[in-house]
Amino acid sequence: MRKQLKKPDAEGYFGDFGGTYVPETLMYALDELKKAYFEITPSRSFKKKLKYYLETYAGRPTPLYFAEKLTRKFGGARIYLKREDLLHTGAHKINNTLGQIILASRMGKKRVIAETGAGQHGVATATAAALFGLECDVYMGTEDIERQSINVFRMKLLGARVIPVASGACTLKDAMNEAMRDWVARVRDTFYVIGSVAGPHPYPLMVRDFQSVIGHEVKKQVLKREGSLPTHLLACVGGGSNALGLFHPFYENREVKFVGVEAGGLGLRSGRHGAALIKGDVGVLHGSKSLVLENRDGQILLAHSVSAGLDYPGVGPEHAYYKKIKRAEYVSVTDTQAVEGVKMLSGEEGIIPALESAHAVAFLPKMIPGTRKKDIVVVCLSGRGDKDIGIIRENVRL
Amino acid sequence: MNDNRIDRTLAELQKNNKKAFITYITAGDPDLETTRKTVLSLDKAGVDIIELGIPFSDPIADGPVIQRAVQRSLSGGCTVSGVFEIVKKVRKSITSPIVFMTYYNIVYRRGVSAFVRDAKRCGADGLIVPDLPLEESDELLKAASREDFRVIMLTSPTTSPGRFKKIASVSRGFIYHVSLTGVTGVRNTLSSGLKKDLSRLKKLSPIPLCVGFGISGPDKAAEVARFADGVIVGSAIIKIIEQNIEKRKEIPGKVGRFAEKIAAAVHAV
């Protein structure tokens, strides 16, 4: 455990990646946040409170489900699903927003802001803000507002204000730009709840730690069930929070392979995808140095994915580090394959996954043939498909 | 003193007990040829330092006016090399220092040393990077000092006195003090704490302190100039470009006339 804490270093670097690339105005807020994070979150009272809400409100621990039919279908490794889709609000995002919002209220902040792509982080932030009585503004690209209208309504119902962002591609990247501008303007009374393991230090660390509950539970559950650790962990990667939440507690267990699945969009060669780890270059976006999709001059390119949550041209710096040191392997799955993944899991196991999580599921047909029967694969089912039903319906003929 | 145009210009102004007037425009808005002509007319209008923005797709420190300028520039096909080219062209005809303003990814992508070397070679004198705080600026500061190129560091209302001293100690040229907590863009009133902030900061370091963000026109510029060593006006000028976007040929003249008024007000302080 202590070894794991060495990354990131005091400046927020995971090897070459991470850091704090923000306007001077925010340095004060990040210092304040770092201090609060290192002082408050390790305290007994904070941990107790977070645990209480995770268990009684969000629904933790989530089941680790043995997907027997799927296992039989492929005839290789035993496949388990970590059911984050069963959490309150429908995705793993609530693990992080409860943590950050309890921290925000301890810091005396009265207002929180968030960016959202698919709307899951926005809903999870609005939910926790309602619970703790904080004012909540969520920035969302107009394109995403269109494709995720139900989540927009949910946020409003929860008392949040949804602020449309019509700059750039009108998606997650632009929503994050706008949230950072808001934070610069209202830095004294506002807490910025970032939804992924991205952003300036300490966000990549903080979000990873709040999401690590996923991997810690998996470790206990799989040991109890199988008497050994899993051989493979599989998760989708947009910014990368559910993947790191699953991977990180196994960091020291070198025999456990990590596989992250990026959005292949219309195919890696089409130039229309969200595969920053596979196709990106080192760059600085939204406060940290990581891999990003960019052109020769350093202009950030537009990402594309059928799933709004993976439609992002960057990725968390710790993933870039895992890639560099070869701790994790990163692959991609196209839009069409992801939709096939939704169909497969729905038909085989009676579980309709979110399009994001379907990317992980859709990699199973490629991965399992290379495994042995005694291997154990844990797939993070980061969210459920309710929010995507409209899009899935457009892409599936029944 | 030394050869850097920024230092010389500011020293000269100080000797004559005058304040500096600095303007910002986004290069390539709406095209690089208009930018080249506008730079010439700003120089003629009495602008002391010309700040030229190299567009970046995700300008998190900028408000709507500059965001739109950046979008116009990028959709017009502006590139970093293109900006360097026009600076090289105007350098022969003007004496004003030119300072680039861009986000760190643009600098990093070219290679920090290569960016500084190329910028210096085309005739620029310094660089402002609004998303590069002191903690991340070592590499750029080192590269700049090798080339006698100025990195203008930023401070803001949330910068503590201790931190201000640290920033001032590595700064050369001048410090860009952000007048308010917020993004760029014209405001109707000046931030209430600005005057106090400036007199407090002036005591901490002898480095010239120039103030930007939110300054709308001649009156506000003059008001700020009373307490600072210089004022920076950006969005107010870009609004004129935006209003004349269908008549690009008129942009250099109109911007020049507006800048003349502010220059007169600032230099009369």
Side-chain angles (χ1 to χ4, degrees), chain A residues 190-353:
Chain A
T190 296
F191 186 105
Y192 180 15
V193 182
I194 292 184
S196 196
V197 285
H201 180 56
Y203 283 98
L205 162 72
M206 177 166 69
V207 177
R208 175 198 80 192
D209 285 355
F210 285 141
Q211 290 295 359
S212 289
V213 66
I214 302 173
H216 286 301
E217 279 178 16
V218 166
K219 213 173 211 179
K220 263 191 230 157
Q221 289 167 321
V222 81
L223 277 174
K224 194 172 165 197
R225 191 71 198 255
E226 295 277 351
S228 68
L229 290 179
T231 51
H232 300 76
L233 301 176
L234 180 62
C236 67
V237 179
S241 70
N242 89 86
L244 274 181
L246 176 64
F247 296 169
H248 188 259
F250 293 90
Y251 183 78
E252 298 290 319
N253 305 109
R254 296 284 150 165
E255 68 280 16
V256 181
K257 289 197 178 100
F258 300 167
V259 182
V261 186
E262 294 197 279
L266 304 180
L268 291 185
R269 276 195 215 137
S270 69
R272 302 204 58 205
H273 55 76
L277 286 159
I278 301 172
K279 299 292 272 184
D281 295 293
V282 181
V284 173
L285 176 67
H286 294 147
S288 56
K289 189 184 282 178
S290 186
L291 290 164
V292 293
L293 300 173
E294 59 182 339
N295 74 8
R296 259 183 58 196
D297 265 1
Q299 309 296 352
I300 306 303
L301 299 174
L302 303 182
H304 163 83
S305 172
V306 66
S307 97
L310 304 184
D311 196 346
Y312 182 63
V315 66
E318 193 166 4
H319 281 294
Y321 174 67
Y322 278 15
K323 186 190 176 196
K324 183 153 188 200
I325 63 167
K326 299 192 166 72
R327 181 65 187 90
E329 182 195 351
Y330 296 94
V331 297
S332 74
V333 150
T334 64
D335 286 353
T336 318
Q337 289 166 334
V339 172
E340 285 303 311
V342 171
K343 270 168 74 181
M344 179 175 75
L345 197 66
S346 305
E348 293 290 337
E349 298 287 351
I351 298 169
I352 303 174

Side-chain angles (χ1 to χ4, degrees), chain A residues 122-140:
Chain A
V123 167
T125 305
T127 299
L131 181 64
F132 288 93
L134 301 182
E135 186 189 341
C136 177
D137 286 344
V138 180
Y139 287 90
M140 188 168 185

Side-chain angles (χ1 to χ4, degrees), chain B:
Chain B
M1 190 171 160
N2 67 44
D3 278 343
N4 190 287
R5 285 186 203 92
I6 298 170
D7 299 355
R8 264 188 284 152
T9 300
L10 290 172
E12 183 73 18
L13 284 164
Q14 211 161 25
K15 210 173 71 191
N16 299 322
N17 216 2
K18 282 196 167 173
K19 303 303 171 77
F21 173 42
I22 303 169
T23 55
Y24 169 88
I25 56 170
T26 302
D29 170 30
D31 59 70
L32 283 168
E33 184 51 21
T34 305
T35 302
R36 189 185 66 82
K37 287 183 184 147
T38 307
V39 168
L40 294 175
S41 79
L42 286 170
D43 180 65
K44 226 180 277 169
V47 173
D48 299 301
I49 297 175
I50 295 168
E51 198 191 314
L52 206 52
I54 301 177
F56 174 54
S57 53
D58 297 78
I60 54 165
D62 286 303
V65 172
I66 295 181
Q67 285 176 45
R68 288 197 296 270
V70 165
Q71 257 169 10
R72 286 193 296 269
S73 171
L74 288 176
S75 42
C78 182
T79 61
V80 178
S81 301
V83 179
F84 285 180
E85 280 301 308
I86 59 149
V87 170
K88 203 168 158 190
K89 278 189 203 160
V90 294
R91 184 75 279 169
K92 295 171 197 137
S93 350
I94 69 167
T95 52
S96 311
I98 293 175
V99 176
F100 285 136
M101 200 296 295
T102 196
Y103 289 81
Y104 194 57
N105 199 45
I106 298 293
V107 179
Y108 183 80
R109 182 68 164 154
R110 199 175 186 93
V112 174
S113 298
F115 186 97
V116 169
R117 186 197 61 218
D118 296 349
K120 175 84 182 177
R121 255 183 222 168
C122 75
D125 306 283
L127 173 65
I128 302 169
V129 189
D131 62 344
L132 192 71
L134 178 66
E135 286 74 2
E136 304 288 357
S137 53
D138 268 8
E139 192 183 355
L140 179 61
L141 289 169
K142 278 190 194 128
S145 82
R146 283 196 296 270
E147 300 273 355
D148 195 32
F149 190 73
R150 299 288 172 264
V151 177
I152 313 301
M153 304 290 285
L154 293 105
T155 58
S156 90
T158 59
T159 307
S160 68
R163 188 171 166 83
F164 181 87
K165 275 196 219 165
K166 270 193 222 158
I167 294 172
S169 73
V170 302
S171 294
R172 297 182 59 199
F174 62 93
I175 278 183
Y176 188 137
H177 183 71
V178 174
S179 74
L180 44 81
T181 52
V183 293
T184 57
V186 174
R187 310 291 200 280
N188 291 325
T189 52
L190 290 172
S191 160
S192 57
L194 178 63
K195 192 177 146 186
K196 226 169 79 190
D197 282 351
L198 290 173
S199 58
R200 188 169 53 90
L201 298 177
K202 285 300 294 172
K203 288 184 197 127
L204 299 175
S205 164
I207 189 161
L209 208 54
C210 299
V211 176
F213 281 42
I215 298 167
S216 56
D219 297 347
K220 289 285 177 299
E223 202 180 328
V224 173
R226 275 188 264 284
F227 313 106
D229 300 299
V231 287
I232 304 155
V233 179
S235 297
I237 291 177
I238 290 176
K239 274 189 167 175
I240 295 179
I241 297 179
E242 190 161 55
Q243 283 155 12
N244 293 281
I245 210 74
E246 301 300 329
K247 305 163 273 184
R248 330 194 146 181
K249 292 219 163 74
E250 295 179 20
I251 288 172
K254 285 194 171 155
V255 166
R257 282 191 287 284
F258 182 62
E260 241 167 58
K261 280 186 224 157
I262 310 178
V266 171
H267 292 149
V269 170

Side-chain angles (χ1 to χ4, degrees), chain A residues 376-396:
Chain A
I376 302 163
V377 177
V378 176
V379 186
C380 189
L381 218 56
S382 55
R384 60 176 172 247
D386 308 33
K387 70 179 175 65
D388 295 320
I389 288 300
I391 300 165
I392 296 168
R393 196 169 158 193
E394 280 167 29
N395 288 282
V396 175

Side-chain angles (χ1 to χ4, degrees), chain A residues 157-186:
Chain A
L157 205 55
L158 291 160
R161 209 154 59 108
V162 178
I163 305 171
V165 178
S167 57
C170 312
T171 60
L172 180 56
K173 163 182 89 94
D174 313 286
M176 198 152 174
N177 289 339
E178 210 49 40
M180 290 187 99
R181 291 182 187 117
D182 177 307
W183 199 27
V184 172
R186 294 195 51 183

